[in-house]
Structures are given as structure tokens and as C-alpha cells.
Amino acid sequence: MVVDLELPVHPVAEHLFDPEDETDADDWRVSLAIDTLTDLVRLSRREAATPLRHYAEEGANWFEALDALVSLGDPALVHGLGSVAAARCDEDDLHWLVDDPGNPVIQQWASEHSVIADAVRKRRSSPPPHPREQHRPTGSDGELAALVHQRSDASVEAILELGRRRSPALLDLAEEFLPERPSRWRGVICRALREYGAEALPRARAWAGGVPGCSEVGIDILARHGTARDVPILLEDLREALSAKSWGGAASPVEGLGRLRAGAAVPLLKEAWAATEYAYLRPRLLTALLRTAPHTAEAYATEALWDCEDDARRIGAATAPPTEDNRLRLRRLAVCAAEEPGVVSVAVDRTEP
């Protein structure tokens, strides 16, 4: 958008050098600004490299800016910054900075600074990681459940095996382990339940009704495998998520209502699109709107062509109506050097004669 509207880069740069930079401990505060300036350089707005250079020299999160400049692969943009890298980077920093020893920037810096040359040699000589060998546990369902109760490292594979077998023992274990907070077992049990599939629906309906610690997992299962009878509870869960502004919590009911093509969900889906602050929810909302109200979704697909989330842009590029403005936007996406490959591919398909 900055390129298309010929906007200046200084508002983005000013965010980098806000006084909060010295006091805000959030490493993500400047990430979007750095990514935006980096993309602008790739799109031939080379003046965007100047604030990146200054931030690499003076900013609190200097390494992120330095790494972004290295990724551009243009030694002319980083003249003099090799000494910054050599002086400030510890061994771990250098390991990640020289991730691509063939990068012209790294090659130049390695010729100028021995510490960077040493990091490149170490990186090249590092052996590739060995694939982890996995052995499926044996034994009856009862024996595996007993192994889970030992709460050892072997319990993880036992839980996954019960999921692969679609054993009722897994459902009992879920009711026992999921209410625990905090719990190292929640993630692996949820993964195993995905293997269980639609056979978990009867228990999932009971969980979604309010079983402590299990309701969220129950909603997830209904979203993936539920039927039309589950639409009311998914609608109620979405209402509650929107009321609480729990955008992450809205993801599963949105996906489920879209999969079930629940027309009753359209007003809530439109409300969520307008209100959400969670970028990763918008692709799900757009998919659900396209499935439940295709004609209504056309306006949202057009808006998604400009979305900050690449999955939303990809879906928008595939489904936005071919108006004159949309065709122009698709042509720009098709040739945008900073665009994600999936978005470019869809845009090219839509613009080819």
C-alpha cells in the first residue's frame, strides 16, 4: 500500500525510534516496522534502508534490523555495518546471522572480519541434524493408559498410540488430564484426539456443554467433525468469544460454522470481521463467509486483497469479483517482488488471459 499510494517511509521509521524503544521490553514492538521497511527496499524504495541502518546501529532490537539488512543480499546497503556485527554479535547471534554463507553480504563481511569468517566456517562444518527415530509402543490399551499415568517421557508416545487406535481410554484420560493447570499433557492429548476423528463426537458434545477443562477441546472436535445438530452450540460459543473479544477462541467455531455452511452464522461472521484485532482470524472468517453467503462475501474478498495477512490476500485474490479496480490490484500482486509466493501464484492465474 505504501508503494501503490506513493506514501513516505518516515512514519514507519518514526515508530522504530519512538522513546518507548528504550523502555518497552516487547521484542515484537518493532518487528512489523522492520519487515515493512525491508519489503519496501525489495520493491525499489531504497530510501527505506536508511532507517534500518540507523536502527541497526542505535536501536534496542538492533540485531533484528541487522538480520533484515543481511537478508536483502546487497553489500551496498550495509557498508560499514560489518564492524557492528563483529563487535556486538555473540556466538549464537553470528550462527544465525550467517545462516546463508553464500549471501554476498556475509561473504564480504567474512573477508573483512575474522570473527565472521570463523562463524561461516563453523556453520558450514556443522553436521545436519539426524532424524529422530520413533518407535510405536506396544501393549494393550490398559497397559498404555497405565504408562500415561506414570507421567514420564514415554507417556507422550503412549497417548499418541491410543489416539491412533481410537481407544476409548484416551477419552477417559482427556477428562482426567485436561482440567489440570498448568499441564504439559494438554498439547499431546489434543493432538491425539485429532487422530481420533469423528468417533469422539458423542463425548465432545458432552464436553462442549461445560465439562471443566474440556469444553474448548469439545468445541474444536465439533468444529472439525460436527453435524448440523452442532450448529447451535458453535453459534453460542462464537457469541461468547466475540463478547469477550477472545479472537483466538473464535477461530474454531468460525471454522466449524463455515464447514457446515451455517447461514445463521452470517451476522456474527460479519460482526467478527469488523471487530477482530487478530490477523489470523480473518482468513478463517473470509472462508466461512464464502461458504455461507458467497454473494455477501464478495465485498469482504475485495477488502482482503489489501489485508496484512497473506492467507487473507490469497483467498481474496482467488475469489474477489473481477471489477476494474480488483483486476488492477491483482496485476500488482502478480508482479510484486515482496509478495508471498502463494498470493502471487493465485494472482497470476486470475490475470492470465
Side-chain angles (χ1 to χ4, degrees):
M1 188 178 293
V2 173
V3 173
D4 289 340
L5 299 180
E6 299 181 356
L7 300 175
V9 302
H10 66 79
V12 182
E14 287 172 358
H15 178 75
L16 288 180
F17 294 98
D18 188 280
E20 288 187 359
D21 192 52
E22 297 298 329
T23 58
D24 192 339
D26 183 4
D27 292 341
W28 294 96
R29 192 191 72 81
V30 297
S31 294
L32 181 57
I34 289 174
D35 289 346
T36 300
L37 291 169
T38 307
D39 285 341
L40 286 171
V41 176
R42 290 194 178 100
L43 293 169
S44 300
R45 293 287 298 270
R46 291 177 71 84
E47 74 273 22
T50 300
L52 281 175
R53 284 182 53 89
H54 290 164
Y55 193 79
E57 293 170 337
E58 304 171 9
N61 295 292
W62 57 270
F63 181 81
E64 191 170 352
L66 188 67
D67 189 46
L69 284 164
V70 169
S71 73
L72 294 169
D74 185 347
L77 297 175
V78 296
H79 179 69
L81 289 180
S83 58
V84 174
R88 290 190 181 180
C89 291
D90 60 21
E91 187 174 345
D92 286 342
D93 290 337
L94 286 173
H95 175 81
W96 294 111
L97 194 66
V98 303
D99 179 51
D100 177 13
N103 184 317
V105 172
I106 298 301
Q107 291 178 337
Q108 179 172 313
W109 286 356
S111 70
E112 298 170 346
H113 303 279
S114 60
V115 66
I116 297 177
D118 290 342
V120 170
R121 282 192 291 271
K122 289 179 181 178
R123 185 79 188 204
R124 284 175 169 159
S125 62
S126 298
H130 295 289
R132 178 173 173 243
E133 294 185 7
Q134 291 187 338
H135 302 284
R136 289 181 59 169
T138 58
S140 67
D141 291 359
E143 290 170 333
L144 292 178
L147 182 57
V148 172
H149 281 104
Q150 293 178 14
R151 299 174 183 254
S152 64
D153 290 343
S155 302
V156 173
E157 291 299 332
I159 290 170
L160 295 175
E161 179 63 20
L162 289 171
R164 286 188 286 263
R165 296 181 184 182
R166 295 177 173 82
S167 168
L170 175 63
L171 304 179
D172 296 333
L173 289 167
E175 292 184 352
E176 178 183 350
F177 281 76
L178 289 178
E180 297 179 0
R181 291 288 193 278
S183 172
R184 62 171 292 199
W185 309 107
R186 185 177 185 84
V188 68
I189 287 175
C190 290
R191 178 180 167 190
L193 287 169
R194 284 196 290 273
E195 296 275 355
Y196 210 106
E199 293 180 35
L201 275 174
R203 196 78 68 100
R205 288 178 178 129
W207 293 346
V211 174
C214 300
S215 57
E216 182 180 335
V217 176
I219 291 292
D220 289 346
I221 294 171
L222 297 185
R224 289 190 181 93
H225 305 289
T227 65
R229 65 175 284 192
D230 301 306
V231 166
I233 195 165
L234 291 172
L235 282 171
E236 182 58 28
D237 192 70
L238 180 56
R239 286 192 193 95
E240 292 177 359
L242 297 185
S243 178
K245 295 186 178 181
S246 174
W247 309 121
S252 283
V254 164
E255 290 180 343
L257 292 164
R259 182 181 66 82
L260 294 169
R261 290 176 164 80
V266 171
L268 284 175
L269 296 173
K270 293 164 66 176
E271 176 188 341
W273 178 275
T276 184
E277 301 169 358
Y278 184 46
Y280 295 117
L281 183 61
R282 287 196 294 274
R284 295 174 170 88
L285 286 166
L286 183 55
T287 299
L289 282 165
L290 286 164
R291 290 175 175 172
T292 54
H295 180 70
T296 299
E298 289 183 353
Y300 297 91
T302 296
E303 184 179 339
L305 290 172
W306 301 88
D307 200 90
C308 67
E309 174 56 38
D310 58 276
D311 275 347
R313 294 195 302 279
R314 177 181 54 78
I315 298 168
T319 58
T323 64
E324 182 177 350
D325 287 344
N326 286 352
R327 286 197 297 268
L328 175 61
R329 177 61 176 159
L330 287 167
R331 287 195 293 271
R332 288 177 171 172
L333 289 173
V335 298
C336 180
E339 187 52 88
E340 294 294 328
V343 179
V344 171
S345 177
V346 173
V348 168
D349 290 343
R350 289 290 306 276
T351 54
E352 286 182 342

